Amino acid sequence: MTGGGLLVAGTTSDAGKSVVTAGICRWLVRQGVKVAPFKAQNMSLNSFVTREGAEIGRAQAMQAQACRVEPTALMNPVLLKPGGEQSSQVVLLGKPVGELSARGYHGGRQRRLLGTVLDCLAELRGTYDAVICEGAGSPAEINLRRTDIVNMGIARGAGLPVLVVGDIDRGGVFASFFGTVALLSPEDQALVAGFLVNKFRGDVSLLEPGLDMLHGLTGRRTYGVLPFRHGLGIDEEDGLRVSLRGTVRESNVSPPVGEDVLRVAVCAIPLMSNFTDVDALAAEPGVVVRFVDRPEELADADLVVVPGTRGTVRALEWLRERGLAEALRRRAAEGRPVLGICGGFQILGEHIEDEVESRRGHVEGLAVLPVRVRFAREKTLTRPVGEALGERVEGYEIHHGVAEIEGGDPFLDGCRVGQAWGTHWHGSLESDGFRRAFLREVAAAAGRRFVPTPDTSFAALREEQLDRLGDLIEQHADTDALWRLIESGAPQGLPFIPPGAPA
């Protein structure tokens, strides 16, 4: 027996597909439904390692948590990790299979993957009562429809009803809903069941006449109007889409326990990956996390984080061009805290041998840590467990760089020299005891009277956040109608809206 399914598409990128998918998943699992997430193809530098050692999009790992199931490679069979403007690493069923240009991928390779992603979806639907699929970008990208495997391609291939999400906070949501449907072929339109308004502020009664007119124009209903809520953009997949300077990661609203706050500056390096590592810091009351791209912005920071990147050598050059490299070296020499994670750890080392990622050969690092890095063709994908600062730590590793450590004190398979710390472990700061111990060290080195809250649980905060997403769906969507879609598919007889897809 095949389980039910639904594709959550969007009028644009960043319309809220990921959080709506997670919200529907959490609502369903609270109703006793065995549910799984799915995204056929994800383009993201925020990724995660499953227990079987497969790399998938971080958003799908978050959605699996919303479903209260272990994430697997089936949930995100194709992951594209951009390495620049023109090419991406293709990760298939959790393992890298090569680099392709956008033209090479859309020119034929992508379409050949349709059978693989449909097989993965069918396997999930054979195991779960329902599978909630997330689309990518817009389903009405008419230049890409022929090779599409993540929006209408997967909907047509698996007979899935489609719910289109629109971000009304941006404006133009009615035109976006109508235009999305009107640019699809009759066969695709037949699967678009209706709409979901996201991020609404104000009195819903003022919106209802527009929703009625939209129904009259398209023959499709709106399944809910979700109010705007702060702090729900968890585990974004595409990176921060605005200029990063001054962008502040949302922090816990509780006041600090000690007398001081702790200021964390994250270097907004190119191709930044897994910047979700700092979310656990932002969850601590009294910790303020911001992204920076100027050396003067490091001056008042108590801790500077150099995060992961898909372009270590490029990021190193960027740090030098902007004067941040010298500021980081100066901080380390003065005994002021610096933390390098994955690519950031490699940047803090003495030198890099890279014939894989940038193919630049020998490149001098910042020489803050006694580490030499050689890029291997085989990618390391592991879920390590260890101990640091007297506390148990869990993490995950995603990197081509192999570190040869020639000194310093051990630190999470990396090393520490003074107040400069480096590790390949992503996610380590989500371990509550370790995070508190680390922040105490940082505060002492920075001379701040900051005290970590003794009972902050990042896992519990994440669960609360996922429950808030489930509450949004339960309270502001027509859940009976949503379940009928999931169980029975798109309504029959939906009208065609001209002009349809171009020939």
Side-chain angles (χ1 to χ4, degrees):
M1 180 178 175
T2 299
L6 174 70
L7 175 71
V8 179
T11 55
T12 62
S13 294
D14 215 27
K17 296 183 293 293
S18 294
V19 293
V20 167
T21 299
I24 293 174
C25 287
R26 178 49 61 101
W27 159 66
L28 284 171
V29 80
R30 293 196 308 206
Q31 308 309 306
V33 177
K34 187 180 178 185
V35 59
F38 179 79
K39 185 162 186 173
Q41 172 192 292
N42 197 344
M43 178 172 279
S44 177
L45 287 172
N46 281 338
S47 59
F48 182 76
V49 179
T50 68
R51 293 209 180 277
E52 71 266 35
E55 185 179 8
I56 66 170
R58 178 89 189 187
Q60 278 59 66
M62 177 268 292
Q63 290 161 358
Q65 186 176 346
C67 297
R68 297 179 179 145
V69 298
E70 272 293 323
T72 73
L74 292 174
M75 296 171 183
N76 179 207
V78 181
L79 173 64
L80 305 178
K81 303 194 72 175
E85 296 297 323
Q86 300 295 329
S87 67
S88 293
Q89 183 180 67
V90 180
V91 179
L92 180 62
L93 293 172
K95 303 296 181 184
V97 294
E99 297 271 342
L100 275 179
S101 67
R103 179 175 293 276
Y105 185 66
H106 290 288
R109 178 65 181 270
Q110 182 183 32
R111 186 67 184 177
R112 291 196 294 273
L113 293 173
L114 181 60
T116 299
V117 300
L118 286 172
D119 288 346
C120 292
L121 177 56
E123 188 170 341
L124 287 174
R125 293 180 77 183
T127 306
Y128 292 88
D129 301 328
V131 178
I132 308 303
C133 308
E134 181 188 342
S138 160
E141 306 289 358
I142 54 179
N143 55 316
L144 302 177
R145 175 62 185 91
R146 183 178 61 84
T147 58
D148 170 51
I149 65 170
V150 66
N151 290 307
M152 300 314 300
I154 196 79
R156 285 271 292 279
L160 295 173
V162 179
L163 184 69
V164 180
V165 177
D167 179 356
I168 197 170
D169 197 49
R170 295 181 172 191
V173 75
F174 292 116
S176 298
F177 281 147
F178 183 89
T180 297
V181 179
L183 281 176
L184 300 177
S185 69
E187 295 82 5
D188 287 350
Q189 285 194 23
L191 293 173
V192 178
F195 314 107
L196 187 75
V197 177
N198 193 27
K199 300 183 185 177
F200 179 72
R201 306 171 191 253
D203 186 346
V204 176
S205 67
L206 299 177
L207 186 67
E208 287 170 351
L211 301 179
D212 291 341
M213 286 185 271
L214 182 67
H215 184 266
L217 287 166
T218 66
R220 290 159 174 85
R221 57 167 299 181
T222 297
Y223 284 77
V225 177
L226 307 185
F228 188 95
R229 292 286 187 269
H230 286 285
L232 294 182
I234 52 179
D235 289 8
E236 296 98 324
E237 62 180 35
D238 296 322
L240 298 174
R241 309 186 74 85
V242 294
S243 171
L244 283 161
R245 187 172 338 115
T247 299
V248 178
R249 231 34 195 156
E250 290 207 44
S251 299
N252 195 302
V253 294
S254 303
V257 173
E259 296 179 46
D260 289 343
V261 298
L262 208 63
R263 297 171 177 84
V264 179
V266 184
C267 295
I269 56 180
L271 297 173
M272 183 168 51
S273 62
N274 286 69
F275 61 79
T276 49
D277 282 334
V278 302
D279 285 352
L281 295 177
E284 282 283 347
V287 176
V288 179
V289 177
R290 71 183 189 275
F291 292 88
V292 303
D293 60 4
R294 292 177 176 175
E296 57 268 27
E297 293 175 301
L298 305 188
D300 68 343
D302 303 308
L303 168 66
V304 175
V305 178
V306 188
T309 172
R310 252 281 283 157
T312 301
V313 170
R314 178 178 167 189
L316 185 53
E317 291 173 342
W318 180 89
L319 289 167
R320 287 189 167 116
E321 289 165 3
R322 290 182 170 256
L324 283 159
E326 186 54 40
L328 287 166
R329 272 197 293 259
R330 191 163 54 248
R331 277 189 69 92
E334 293 169 355
R336 302 178 66 199
V338 177
L339 171 64
I341 303 174
C342 200
F345 168 41
Q346 297 165 7
I347 285 168
L348 296 180
E350 294 175 352
H351 71 248
I352 298 165
E353 293 291 340
D354 182 11
E355 299 294 348
V356 176
E357 194 174 78
S358 69
R359 298 183 176 87
R360 293 282 297 277
H362 183 91
V363 178
E364 294 296 323
L366 299 188
V368 169
L369 294 173
V371 176
R372 299 181 178 185
V373 176
R374 174 184 54 82
F375 273 68
R377 297 201 176 277
E378 189 75 19
K379 182 184 277 192
T380 297
L381 296 168
T382 63
R383 290 273 293 269
V385 177
E387 185 177 298
L389 302 180
E391 299 287 346
R392 186 177 187 273
V393 189
E394 295 184 27
Y396 57 99
E397 295 186 54
I398 306 168
H399 55 91
H400 285 279
V402 178
E404 182 182 337
I405 299 167
E406 301 184 332
D409 297 319
F411 175 67
L412 299 179
D413 292 340
C415 69
R416 168 192 182 180
V417 174
Q419 289 300 318
W421 316 66
T423 178
H424 274 131
W425 291 24
H426 294 292
S428 61
L429 293 166
E430 295 178 19
S431 297
D432 298 324
F434 165 70
R435 182 180 65 253
R436 287 191 280 268
F438 177 69
L439 289 176
R440 282 193 290 269
E441 289 248 0
V442 168
R448 295 287 185 189
R449 289 170 294 183
F450 168 85
V451 179
T453 305
D455 57 355
T456 299
S457 165
F458 184 76
L461 289 172
R462 173 53 52 85
E463 278 296 301
E464 289 173 15
Q465 213 167 16
L466 292 170
D467 276 331
R468 289 171 65 198
L469 293 178
D471 293 342
L472 277 181
I473 298 300
E474 189 168 334
Q475 297 167 12
H476 300 282
D478 186 339
T479 52
D480 289 341
L482 270 181
W483 178 246
R484 286 194 296 272
L485 273 187
I486 294 166
E487 194 174 37
S488 305
Q492 297 297 306
L494 292 169
F496 170 71
I497 308 302

